[in-house]
Amino acid sequence: MSSVPERGDIDEAYKWDLDSLFASDEAWQTAFEQARDSLDDLRAYEGRAAEDAATLTELLETYEQVMRQVANVGAYARMRRDEDTRDDDAQALATRAQSLGSEAASAASFIEPELQQLDREDIEQMQEEKPALEAYDHYIDDILRMKPHTRSAEVENLLAELGEVTGASGEIYNMLANADMEFPAVDDPDGEPQPITLNNFTTLQKNPDRAFRQRVYETFYDEWEDVRNTVGTSYRNSVKADEKLAAARDYDSSREASLDGPNIPTEVYDTLVDTVRDNLDKLHRHGDLKRTVTDGEDLKMWDLYVPLVTEESPEVSYEDACEYVTEAVAPLGEAYQSRLAEGLDSQWVDVYETKGKQSGAYSGGTYDSQPYILMNYQDDVESMYTLAHELGHSMHSELASEAQPYVYADYTIFIAEIASTVNETLLTHHLLETVEDEQLRRHVLNQYLERFRSTLYRQTMFAEFEQRTHEMSEAGKPLTPDRLDELYQELKGDYYEPAEVDDRIAREWMRIPHFYRAFYVFQYATGISAAVALVENIRDHGEPAAERYRNFLESGSRGYPLELLDDAGVDMTDAATVQSALDVYGEYLDEFERLV
């Protein structure tokens, strides 16, 4: 019987090193108190933001200093909690940090309404008087752009203070799914009990034994049935919070409010959904291929993750994955490649799954720290791709932090998912072009096809689900668990037409944590579309295209996402960009059929 180890059983070399933030919880406590006290420095400027150029400059510099402190405190606390979500002390740190974050947002909430008392001419005059303000030009422009949706300082302060409340549904769901839920073990093909976790569920669904996959599938989703009312209530309130916040800011819909933050037109969202819908035949073709490697004529929901190759997936150790990924990014330039390799040797990554650890993977860190990557590495090809993905995020953060002041070092999710998927795409090209092991090559090709299926199609299906649930709520229709099941089952049937859609898969929406971050997932699909275009440019034009891409990463948020992408050579308003990625998917389906 395999088992998930405790954190203390893992070698320190495979754990992230939080010392670049704080050496201990005691050091964190000191920083927490300093950050909390510094909020008074920020509050001292309330009512004075538009006073004169010198005051505005001082305010923005103070704002940066305070928010950097708060970000460091918050990042450390979240990562300590994510090491073991069962740890009450770590949960307490995270709760206190979240409260501080809400308090900081409240303390800074006067800035935007007060700056919006100014117009463009006022800002230009201030910049002449105080040239240091020119560094904040895009930041201020973005604030002025949001003037129609910004309330009074009093209301903005209230909305900021409600941040903990409006985000409570996601926190409740996170604790339920990661700390409280336990799934029964299922006997594997050898008769040994196999534990099921959130992290290994999809891995178990790839097992070649079809009966075992079915047992895992049914056991897993039966457990979600037992918490359907809790999860349904949590999600309904999350949607309702999105709706109320959008209305408070005078948006017509939650989706419009969400997309207006990064200045993405809703047409980009619609173009994605419509273009993917027009190409469902390719996904259906992928499903038909999966049917050929199952033990039956019918394709079941527990067959959707099964590889198109029948032999056992090769084991890919973490060390091998690091080597493959490092070699794969060579087209991005020697400096990029060496910095990535250095990061892997500097404990950026918390590698293996341990009991109570936050599920999934993410890239974190702050402007003042090294990047951090949470993994639950499973010694397989998929984990290697996840590592490449998160390293794309981390390198983006590293390059932007080095090139930009704090105010522009962050970037929107719309942009972030491009950097991560570029690395995945480069990894695929590298492995298919250099690896001689035919077994690994087949699995890499299968993996890339699965990335298209799970990223371009599956995330677009999620985007449709989010859009329709929010529209239902905004129309006054109740979001009951039964109605959510019906909607999800309908979408699953459309996207996976060759498969038999059963009642259990209707509960899949319950296990998707991204739904608690509204209108987030569509950016994975636009990201892979842009990434395919960028990689093709780099492969066709070499260093000049790679330089444009690096400049794009280094820009951080000093520009609106669609403008930055246009500078890098990609137009996301054009359906042809999404279509070209879908065409590549079709070409790889052709290649797989030739290979086998």
Side-chain angles (χ1 to χ4, degrees):
M1 175 178 177
S2 62
S3 61
V4 178
E6 294 287 350
R7 186 168 183 82
D9 297 331
I10 301 295
D11 190 291
E12 292 297 319
Y14 297 107
K15 300 176 186 176
W16 52 26
D17 179 8
L18 298 183
D19 283 356
S20 72
L21 279 169
F22 302 106
S24 65
D25 289 358
E26 290 72 25
W28 178 89
Q29 175 63 34
T30 300
F32 175 88
E33 293 171 358
Q34 292 172 344
R36 184 178 55 194
D37 292 343
S38 73
L39 298 183
D40 288 335
D41 298 335
L42 190 56
R43 294 187 183 102
Y45 288 93
E46 186 166 0
R48 302 173 53 209
E51 191 173 276
D52 54 49
T55 301
L56 178 56
T57 303
E58 292 172 4
L59 164 61
L60 293 178
E61 290 174 349
T62 300
Y63 171 74
E64 286 193 21
Q65 294 168 2
V66 170
M67 290 305 174
R68 284 172 69 172
Q69 289 179 293
V70 172
N72 291 337
V73 166
Y76 178 89
R78 285 191 299 273
M79 288 188 286
R80 283 277 290 107
R81 177 199 62 193
D82 290 348
E83 290 174 351
D84 188 346
T85 59
R86 306 167 303 174
D87 186 331
D88 289 343
D89 291 338
Q91 286 185 35
L93 294 186
T95 300
R96 293 174 65 198
Q98 185 180 31
S99 296
L100 178 64
S102 295
E103 189 177 353
S106 175
S109 63
F110 70 90
I111 296 177
E112 293 188 12
E114 291 189 23
L115 284 182
Q116 287 167 352
Q117 298 172 12
L118 305 171
D119 56 29
R120 191 69 224 176
E121 291 182 359
D122 296 327
I123 297 300
E124 290 174 357
Q125 182 177 348
M126 286 182 166
Q127 288 173 337
E128 290 181 6
E129 297 174 14
K130 199 75 173 177
L133 278 175
E134 293 180 4
Y136 296 94
D137 189 65
H138 175 70
Y139 169 78
I140 294 173
D141 183 72
D142 201 26
I143 290 176
L144 296 181
R145 178 181 70 84
M146 301 296 288
K147 186 173 183 177
H149 302 289
T150 305
R151 304 294 299 274
S152 68
E154 181 181 10
V155 174
E156 287 295 328
N157 181 62
L158 175 61
L159 292 174
E161 288 182 343
L162 288 173
E164 280 186 90
V165 177
T166 56
S169 294
E171 285 294 309
I172 292 169
Y173 172 84
N174 179 65
M175 295 310 298
L176 173 69
N178 290 286
D180 293 341
M181 287 187 72
E182 292 186 7
F183 300 92
V186 174
D187 286 348
D188 65 19
D190 296 325
E192 295 294 327
Q194 170 66 59
I196 302 173
T197 69
L198 288 175
N199 288 306
N200 74 5
F201 171 69
T202 55
T203 299
L204 297 177
Q205 287 288 276
K206 298 172 186 175
N207 191 286
D209 189 294
R210 197 180 194 207
F212 173 67
R213 293 199 305 270
Q214 180 178 356
R215 291 196 299 273
V216 170
Y217 171 86
E218 293 176 350
T219 301
F220 181 76
Y221 282 113
D222 284 349
E223 287 299 304
W224 286 102
E225 173 66 16
D226 291 341
V227 296
R228 62 184 284 98
N229 292 318
T230 300
V231 178
T233 301
S234 180
Y235 182 63
R236 183 183 69 240
N237 283 296
S238 179
V239 171
K240 186 61 68 174
D242 298 334
E243 178 186 346
K244 296 300 183 183
L245 288 172
R249 297 191 182 282
D250 198 26
Y251 285 101
D252 292 335
S253 69
S254 302
R255 187 178 68 148
E256 182 187 355
S258 180
L259 270 62
D260 197 35
N263 199 20
I264 304 297
T266 55
E267 289 77 11
V268 172
Y269 197 107
D270 293 332
T271 296
L272 169 71
V273 172
D274 292 344
T275 308
V276 169
R277 275 276 182 180
D278 289 341
N279 286 266
L280 287 181
D281 60 308
K282 296 181 176 66
L283 181 61
H284 298 164
R285 183 180 163 203
H286 196 169
D288 286 332
L289 284 173
K290 285 179 179 287
R291 182 187 286 117
T292 66
V293 297
T294 66
D295 297 330
E297 294 183 0
D298 296 330
L299 188 70
K300 304 290 189 178
M301 287 293 105
W302 51 85
D303 298 324
L304 293 185
Y305 290 95
V306 69
L308 293 176
V309 284
T310 55
E311 74 265 26
E312 185 178 348
S313 177
E315 181 175 303
V316 181
S317 70
Y318 176 69
E319 286 74 17
D320 286 343
C322 291
E323 182 177 349
Y324 283 136
V325 174
T326 302
E327 292 171 350
V329 300
L332 302 184
E334 183 179 351
Y336 182 103
Q337 184 183 39
S338 62
R339 187 70 191 92
L340 182 145
E342 180 184 342
L344 287 170
D345 289 335
S346 303
Q347 290 181 271
W348 282 9
V349 187
D350 201 81
V351 180
Y352 294 113
E353 179 181 9
T354 52
K355 289 184 178 178
K357 185 177 178 181
Q358 172 68 38
S359 63
Y362 65 72
S363 172
T366 71
Y367 187 75
D368 296 304
S369 78
Q370 67 178 47
Y372 290 100
I373 296 173
L374 180 138
M375 289 281 295
N376 284 275
Y377 197 85
Q378 300 286 325
D379 286 333
D380 55 20
V381 172
E382 183 175 3
S383 291
M384 173 174 60
Y385 270 82
T386 301
L387 177 64
H389 180 103
E390 300 305 338
L391 281 167
H393 289 309
S394 291
M395 285 300 298
H396 193 172
S397 297
E398 189 79 344
L399 293 177
S401 294
E402 290 175 355
Q404 299 295 337
Y406 175 80
V407 69
Y408 299 128
D410 203 0
Y411 42 84
T412 67
I413 298 299
F414 190 89
I415 290 294
E417 294 309 328
I418 295 167
S420 56
T421 314
V422 162
N423 277 18
E424 292 181 21
T425 306
L426 288 171
L427 177 61
T428 300
H429 285 297
H430 170 71
L431 293 172
L432 291 179
E433 292 169 1
T434 63
V435 171
E436 296 181 358
D437 183 335
E438 286 299 321
Q439 181 187 14
L440 179 56
R441 287 172 57 82
R442 285 191 294 272
H443 280 272
V444 165
L445 185 53
N446 171 75
Q447 181 65 33
Y448 197 46
L449 289 172
E450 282 297 293
R451 288 277 157 169
F452 272 102
R453 181 191 68 79
S454 62
T455 303
L456 192 44
Y457 283 96
R458 180 175 166 83
Q459 304 302 327
T460 302
M461 182 184 71
F462 289 166
E464 281 205 67
F465 178 79
E466 283 192 286
Q467 182 177 349
R468 291 174 64 176
T469 56
H470 283 77
E471 287 173 348
M472 288 167 58
S473 180
E474 289 160 358
K477 298 178 181 178
L479 293 182
T480 65
D482 286 346
R483 184 65 192 99
L484 292 168
D485 284 356
E486 292 170 7
L487 172 58
Y488 194 87
Q489 192 169 24
E490 174 190 336
L491 289 170
K492 199 77 174 183
D494 289 345
Y495 276 74
Y496 292 92
E497 186 178 279
E500 181 180 321
V501 179
D502 59 54
D503 291 339
R504 283 186 176 89
I505 200 62
R507 306 166 197 159
E508 187 177 36
W509 63 271
M510 288 188 246
R511 76 175 185 93
I512 310 301
H514 287 128
F515 286 157
Y516 293 87
R517 190 171 181 178
F519 302 104
Y520 169 91
V521 295
F522 90 99
Q523 296 164 113
Y524 286 107
T526 55
I528 192 173
S529 301
V532 169
L534 287 164
V535 170
E536 290 304 304
N537 284 340
I538 293 168
R539 286 169 59 81
D540 289 343
H541 303 291
E543 175 55 25
E547 183 179 13
R548 291 177 73 183
Y549 175 66
R550 293 195 302 272
N551 290 339
F552 160 75
L553 297 181
E554 291 171 356
S555 296
S557 59
R558 193 187 281 270
Y560 295 115
L562 296 187
E563 295 171 356
L564 295 175
L565 275 172
D566 190 60
D567 290 341
V570 174
D571 181 3
M572 286 309 301
T573 65
D574 189 352
T577 301
V578 179
Q579 185 62 54
S580 65
L582 291 162
D583 290 343
V584 169
Y585 175 58
E587 291 168 4
Y588 274 96
L589 286 170
D590 293 340
E591 176 64 22
F592 185 84
E593 288 179 332
R594 286 193 295 269
L595 184 65
V596 299

